[in-house]
Amino acid sequence: MEVVEVIARVQVEVPVPDAVALLAGRQLPARVQAAVADAAEAARLYAACRGPQYAEARQLLEARLRVANKTLAAHNPGLVVRWRNLPDLHR
């Protein structure tokens, strides 16, 4: 049996100035910019929908997030919104 070592790349959070982020964001294609905005809004709304009365709203937001993530993943998998990216929501 062969042993394979896997070394995980260290993820370091480096702050990016707002002006640099805006300049980089303007270089994205229009459909990707729209998907970034839609994913951010769906994630923000999903985190705000708490309680059993919001079950249907969360399902609709999950679908919206899936559609946006599909576009983002096709352009750059690093742009995909994951559960850990959702504000105030830790799974």
Side-chain angles (χ1 to χ4, degrees), residues 3-79:
V3 177
V4 178
E5 289 186 36
V6 178
I7 299 174
R9 185 173 53 173
V10 177
Q11 300 270 336
V12 179
E13 295 290 326
V14 178
V16 177
D18 290 340
V20 174
L22 287 173
L23 180 63
R26 280 187 263 169
Q27 304 303 315
L28 295 172
R31 65 182 173 75
V32 177
Q33 287 180 12
V36 167
D38 199 35
E41 184 181 17
R44 182 182 57 78
L45 291 172
Y46 186 91
C49 290
R50 299 177 188 265
Q53 70 272 24
Y54 295 113
E56 186 177 346
R58 282 194 304 270
Q59 289 177 351
L60 294 172
L61 290 168
E62 287 171 1
R64 191 170 153 191
L65 192 56
R66 279 193 298 271
V67 170
N69 274 342
K70 188 173 182 179
T71 302
L72 295 174
H75 181 73
N76 179 356
L79 294 175

